[in-house]
Amino acid sequence: MAENLEQSLLCTEITNVVDEENGMIVEKTPISQMGFPLESEEMIRGMMDKEKQHLPSDDYIKRLRSKDLDLNVRRREALNWIWKACEEHQFGPFCICLSGNYLDRFLSVHDFPNIDKAWTVQLLAVACLSLAAKVEETEVPSLIDLQVGDPQFVFEAKSVQRMELLVLNRLEWRLRVITPCSYITYFLRKMSKCDQKPSNTLISRSLQVIASKTQAGIDFLEFRPSEVAAAVALSVSGELHTVHFDNSPLFSLLQKQLGIELQGNASYGDD
């Protein structure tokens, strides 16, 4: 996990590579690159303007909270398996967040005729994890070997590949998405009195918290990625008593969006 995080901090150029096994073009720049180099006010503001394009449909959380009990249950099972599989393969937090993003976005725009059958969403989970690993990780196991973590079903590679193509089409091939991970160093830096690059400890801890929120239930979906990142940065910085609110317009905007929770913790680090 630590090695994956360290590799994610490296800056590389964007390249498109043909995945020979699955016969498709995948953008191979790690999603983490969106967060760490982009720390100017202008670029962060641009990300905040675009982040809603990378979220599930507006009615998704309402469906999860109302009559779609089967959808809610299957979603939770799928996310739990993704978490276990990422732990066994030592995939980083970015991969977990991407997998969850793909899963929720797909479920929000695609009606499964057999959502009550466990195997359908399990197959989707495998496909989402496979796509996320190809985007983010440097080493990706075969589709058969990917299926660890005590899955209820194990699928042939061809079945997973067909689901991958369905996911890609429904997501309009948007795999490079903005997640809370994309913002984390920016907000950690803004909460530092020295406005300096955050320590690896702060970054690693923050990413772990963000990844854990994929299992925290549907309430997590109410907030935009920038809001989640700001709240996590606040919490983690508060643990080490290093919080100092920056006076930049962007940070003031996030304070207003998060409301009283952020204001109520403004005294961290002043004691």
Side-chain angles (χ1 to χ4, degrees), residues 131-146:
L131 291 171
K134 289 169 187 172
V135 171
E136 180 57 35
E137 300 297 329
T138 55
E139 295 184 8
V140 182
S142 69
L143 291 174
I144 297 298
D145 292 338
L146 183 70

Side-chain angles (χ1 to χ4, degrees), residues 116-127:
D116 58 322
K117 299 186 183 302
W119 69 267
T120 56
V121 181
Q122 174 64 32
L123 177 57
L124 173 62
V126 175

